[in-house]
Amino acid sequence: MSQTRRDGLEEEKMALTCEICGRPVSTESRVMIDGAVLRVCLNCAGKGTKLGSPPPKPIPFRIGPPPQATITAPELELDPDYNTIVKQARERMGLTQEALGRAINEKPSVISHVESRKLKPDPILASKLMHHLKIKLLVPSDELGSSG
Ligand SMILES: [Zn+2]
C-alpha cells in the first residue's frame, strides 16, 4: 500500500488590503472597531482600538524527558548470623529482651525468637533492630557469597 501525499500547499499571495480604506497594506495593523477586529493600514490604525500583540504564551521549560525517580536499591539480605548480632548488640547495650522489645515496640518473645533463630525478622523489624542497636542486619546479597 503506497500513499502518495498530494502537495496541496498553494501559496496564496493575497495582497492584504485595509479593511477600512481598501488600500494595500504593507504593515498589518489590527484594530478593534465596534467589537470587530479589522486588519487595517497604519493610517487607519488610529481609528480603532489598537490591539497589542498577544501576550506570549508561557512555554513550559522542559528539556528532554522528565527525570526518572526510580532508584535501584541493591538487593539486601538478612545476615545469616542475625541472631548472634542482635543478641550481642543487645547485651552490649545492657538491655534485656524485654527492654529491647519495649524500645522497638515489639513483644519480648519476638526478640527471644529472633535471638534463638526461631523467627526471621521481617524488613521492618530488622530495620528497627538495626536502628536501635546500631547494627547491620541487612547485607547486599552478593556480599554473602555463595558457599553452598
Ligand atoms: Zn486604511
Side-chain angles (χ1 to χ4, degrees):
M1 200 164 91
S2 67
Q3 245 183 337
T4 42
R5 195 170 146 269
R6 265 209 191 172
D7 203 354
L9 276 176
E10 285 170 45
E11 272 200 35
E12 285 182 75
K13 293 218 169 171
M14 274 211 314
L16 185 65
T17 52
C18 174
E19 291 184 52
I20 292 179
C21 68
R23 282 192 288 199
V25 175
S26 55
T27 309
E28 182 188 332
S29 283
R30 288 184 179 209
V31 292
M32 189 178 283
I33 295 170
D34 291 336
V37 177
L38 301 177
R39 294 187 295 186
V40 298
C41 69
L42 285 174
N43 288 337
C44 302
K47 292 176 183 171
T49 311
K50 184 92 169 73
L51 292 179
S53 50
K57 282 180 190 168
I59 300 162
F61 202 77
R62 268 176 66 179
I63 298 170
Q68 295 281 316
T70 44
I71 298 160
T72 46
E75 195 90 0
L76 292 176
E77 280 187 17
L78 194 66
D79 195 298
D81 297 320
Y82 67 89
N83 58 319
T84 319
I85 297 169
V86 169
K87 190 171 196 295
Q88 284 177 352
R90 177 178 62 74
E91 284 171 351
R92 202 166 53 230
M93 291 179 80
L95 293 169
T96 60
Q97 289 179 344
E98 203 184 339
L100 176 58
R102 261 205 307 272
I104 64 169
N105 204 24
E106 295 286 350
K107 287 182 196 137
S109 61
V110 171
I111 310 299
S112 167
H113 285 162
V114 167
E115 289 183 5
S116 55
R117 290 184 81 94
K118 282 180 194 157
L119 176 74
K120 214 176 158 183
D122 60 34
I124 295 164
L125 177 57
S127 69
K128 282 200 285 190
L129 287 167
M130 288 195 293
H131 185 75
H132 193 76
L133 297 172
K134 295 179 175 57
I135 51 172
K136 200 174 155 192
L137 286 178
L138 299 175
V139 291
S141 51
D142 50 337
E143 218 173 82
L144 289 171
S146 49
S147 58

